[in-house]
Amino acid sequence: MSKIINITIDDQNVEAFEGETVLEAALRNGFEIPNLCHNKRVSHTAACRLCIVNIEGRPGGIPSCTTPVVEGMKVSAFTPELEKIRRTIIDLALSNHKDDCISCTKDGDCELQDLAFRYNLGEKERRFPPIWEELHKTSDFSNHVLDYDASKCIQCNRCIKACGEIQGKGILTFVNRGIRTSIGTGYEEWKDSKCDGCGECAQICPVGAITVKPVYSQMKRIRAKDIQRVVQTTCPYCGVGCQLNIATRKSFHNTNEGRETILQVEGADAEPNRGSTCVKGRFGLDFVSRPDRLQMPMIRKDGKLVEVGWPEAILFTARRLGEIRETHGSEAIAGLSSARCTNEDNYVFQKFMRAVIGTPNIDHCARLCHASTVAGLATTLGSGAMTNSIEELERAEVILVTGSNTTETHPVISTFIKRAVIKNKAKLIVVDPREIDLCRYATLWLRQRNGTDIAWLNGMFNAILENGWENKEFIAKHTENFEATREVMKKYDPQTVENLTGIPAEQLIQAAKLYATAKTASIIYAMGITQHAHGTDNVKAVSNLALVTGQIGRESTGVNPLRGQNNVQGACDMGCLPNAFPGYQSVTDPAINARFAKAWKHPRLPAKVGYTVTEIMNAAHEGKLKALYIMGENPMISDPDLNHVKESIKHLDFLIVQDIFLTETAQMADVVLPATSFAEKTGTYTNTERRVLPLRKVLDAPGEARDDWQIIQSLAQAFGHSCRYDSTDDIMREINLLVPQYAGITPERLAAGETLQWPCPNAQHPGTKFLHKDGNFTRGKGLFSAVDHMPAKEQPDKEYPFVLNTGRILYHYHTASMTRRTQSLPMYVNEAYMEMCKEDCDALGVKNGEKVRVSSRRGTIDIAVRQTDIIRAGSVFIPFHFAEAAANYLTSSVVDPIAKIPELKVCAVKIEKI
């Protein structure tokens, strides 16, 4: 609690808090001192001078926005002289401002307009002639999603500070001089800059200078008064779980007559994003209103998918599944759940597969991204989740980022990292084979060879021990298996590691010292660590670093895997795994199995571990698996070795796909069931920091699309199962009873606005900000792992001389079934490409933009080359989003023996000029 400071404002006693400015204290206590440049999310500017006050004992007008309160301070805020000065300042601002309010999109939501009204500054009352026409020459409308009208700019500096201080990008600045001073990027046009369209500047602009293009509105231009309703809900994209304010109104345009549509989206001032969002969250939600949304069930008849009613679709699907179960047994059926669906959807899906169908074969796309995290961290720490909270990153002294291009895959989390560096002078260590954006902020960038992560992690461990930087007390009290691990680490001296990884020995030692000797150091990693045939050991090696230094169990420390999709954490929590019931409770434990059987009123549940994603495809190819039910996944783009996947799906007798679009996988289905999108349903997602976030209904569903859990419930009832939920609240109450981590995350608390982090064992518990507090690990003691470097399974050779790495980019998501159906995002990137360095381009005689043929031992694609200096010679990078040149035709289905995750980060390819 901050110390209370007593001051007076206009002879009234006011309580202020130590560290507050006079303006902050005044506004909080109801004194509406006018201001334009002030915003609580950025530092104080004192640019507009409207907030000047008189302070006893100090000469002249004092800007209250930059003046801290002191005990006994006497402030005069509204003297006639101050009000006269303010009126003049506003008059001058209006002369510099094109006040076409009746046609401005900010009409009714403009802070300058409000002040002009407050001070009665109509056209006749102004003293200064308009000079905005000169400013208008510097306007810029070239950006894909933003407009800058310089004639309305008041040079308040908010946008510049938002870009630099909130987003950590520093793209916007003042350009020109005198009356032509305006906002720019330093490039001739805004579109040529590194602006990625996050829109933070537009959200913070107090006037109509920076505005968003009408990417949603069929009215073309919208004002605040056009908005009929605003709903706060959770973003459907990455694992950050940004809270969004989605504005809607009823549309009377063409086929959407009388149906609500989205008008605009802003970041909500709530955890975890605190008002920010990325270009996808702000401008990439119009896919929900696409005309090609699935609206009716379809059944394949005479080789073609034809629309049918729900009764026919449900009865046909239940009959076919029943026939296959009767003929081939329940284990001939499998289900793929979805990290894009809610906790409630996923819970009901796995319950249906286990209790109604009777199969152990349940998995989802976490198998392809973070299965090695679940396996590795559960072994070493006792819990396979992010140990700390997103907001803690901003206060860490050292942050080590590896295997994560955070700026592109988790943009809002990257802002916390950047602010830690820019604002709090944190040291950033980036370990990545590509020169990613975060390298610009890094104290050290270690460039390892693909697939050598265990070697450099062990090398850091070795350097820590050799220099006495380990936390001896923590190791003795809170860990086990240290001595055996120490023995293995002896051979990973910095020079040996340099030979294996390419990381200079001196840099490795520097990184080890920075990380080990910091008061608080946090590790962030993602799929660059996990998607390997030794991914589980990679994760264990990461865990070793935290354990040897004691950088865990405290704020701003820990091991923090960033989950890729919006609910990949929740889908794991809900038991959409072949070896675990909800809450990571083992299916092979008789007591646990009996508990779920009793709760689900089913005499016998599968008590064996089922097939994983890759095993499901192999079993289908071999004829062991006859039917597959896919909810919200698109394995025809996302899975490795797509030629094998395609043949495997063709071998199935029956394929059900439940989705919002006719995806590449749905096109192969025997039954397609139309589901609601995130905007049309209620429920919860669990983000990467274990925070359970509400999903609130924004729009009505198109056609006859239904919530995923409702479709599954109808199927269960068609089998004669007594499954009856009336709402997602009913499902969450059942989760509360059966999942210990979620016991206290009740519908009532969620409805009251609480966003709690598990574990939350009861309804009074506040949730858990960080795990393993004070070295009290979930498994008892932290386990050191004596892991050894293993090369990738597939190495480049004379025939296939290049190493292929795959991943995601900012402007698209997963298999792009949503993002490529938006208006704005394809403007940035709309076709597949392969990154290649100039040296390799020159050797092949290939120019930027030309197409090449890329082949592996499994497949071939034709793709355009993007020449770049961020990638090293002998390596190439392909985003996996694009169906027409899907990277996964090339990737290997070799898997980690423990987590069964495929090695998507390393495979050998050859490249030929076409």
Side-chain angles (χ1 to χ4, degrees), residues 7 9 20-40 44-46 48 50-53 55 62-69 73 75 77-78 86:
I7 66 172
I9 301 178
E20 270 190 319
T21 65
V22 172
L23 180 62
E24 289 166 340
L27 294 174
R28 191 172 50 77
N29 283 280
F31 294 88
E32 296 184 6
I33 297 175
N35 61 88
L36 281 171
C37 62
H38 170 75
N39 187 280
K40 66 179 183 179
H44 311 303
T45 304
C48 71
L50 281 168
C51 71
I52 56 170
V53 295
I55 298 175
I62 307 294
S64 61
C65 66
T66 58
T67 305
V69 295
M73 178 182 276
V75 179
F78 292 101
R86 288 168 182 151

Side-chain angles (χ1 to χ4, degrees), residues 484-498:
T485 304
R486 181 208 288 267
E487 284 303 309
V488 171
M489 298 300 157
K490 286 179 180 178
K491 60 187 174 187
Y492 290 95
D493 62 90
Q495 190 55 56
T496 298
V497 170
E498 179 176 340

Side-chain angles (χ1 to χ4, degrees), residues 232-305:
Q232 183 177 317
T233 192
T234 304
C235 180
Y237 286 118
C238 77
V240 178
C242 289
Q243 296 301 285
L244 305 177
N245 288 328
I246 301 181
T248 69
R249 71 170 288 131
K250 283 190 175 180
S251 170
F252 294 90
H253 180 86
N254 296 341
T255 58
N256 287 325
E257 185 174 344
R259 183 171 178 254
E260 273 192 293
T261 58
I262 296 173
L263 290 187
Q264 68 178 31
V265 180
E266 291 189 337
D269 188 9
E271 297 295 344
N273 52 308
R274 300 179 174 182
S276 295
T277 186
C278 76
V279 65
K280 291 195 296 294
R282 195 182 301 273
F283 299 110
L285 304 185
D286 48 323
F287 68 86
V288 301
S289 298
R290 282 277 300 204
D292 59 340
R293 280 286 302 276
L294 293 174
Q295 300 190 33
M296 292 287 292
M298 292 188 284
I299 294 176
R300 191 171 296 279
K301 298 180 179 181
D302 298 324
K304 294 183 178 180
L305 287 168

Side-chain angles (χ1 to χ4, degrees), residues 431-452:
V431 189
D432 201 287
R434 297 164 70 220
E435 191 176 1
I436 60 174
D437 177 69
L438 281 182
C439 293
R440 296 193 295 127
Y441 305 83
T443 301
L444 285 173
W445 169 39
L446 312 186
R447 188 176 214 171
Q448 84 278 36
R449 297 188 182 101
N450 296 60
T452 63

Side-chain angles (χ1 to χ4, degrees), residues 300 305 630 634-636 642-643 645-657 662-672 889:
R300 191 171 296 279
L305 287 168
I630 301 174
N634 190 15
M636 273 306 304
L642 287 180
N643 283 317
V645 172
K646 185 184 291 186
E647 289 304 310
S648 299
I649 289 175
K650 287 179 180 178
H651 279 67
L652 291 167
D653 290 347
F654 190 50
L655 174 64
I656 312 156
V657 175
L662 195 66
T663 64
E664 290 76 11
T665 306
Q667 291 168 28
M668 301 180 71
D670 298 292
V671 173
V672 177
Y889 277 112

Side-chain angles (χ1 to χ4, degrees), residues 224 284 440 443 465 468 503 523 738 779 829:
R440 296 193 295 127
T443 301
L465 293 182
I503 297 172
I523 300 175
L738 291 172
R779 70 178 300 278
V829 180

Side-chain angles (χ1 to χ4, degrees), residues 705-764:
R706 294 182 179 179
D707 289 358
D708 290 281
W709 68 267
Q710 292 175 327
I711 299 170
I712 302 161
Q713 178 167 272
S714 295
L715 282 171
Q717 290 170 348
F719 273 94
H721 196 275
S722 59
C723 182
R724 184 66 192 177
Y725 303 108
D726 292 325
S727 68
T728 51
D729 284 355
D730 289 348
I731 303 168
M732 181 53 76
R733 290 189 183 97
E734 188 171 310
I735 293 167
N736 296 154
L737 292 172
L738 291 172
V739 182
Q741 299 94 321
Y742 282 67
I745 306 175
T746 64
E748 292 74 21
R749 296 183 77 180
L750 290 165
E754 293 187 74
T755 57
L756 301 157
Q757 292 170 273
W758 67 254
C760 182
N762 58 63
Q764 290 72 47

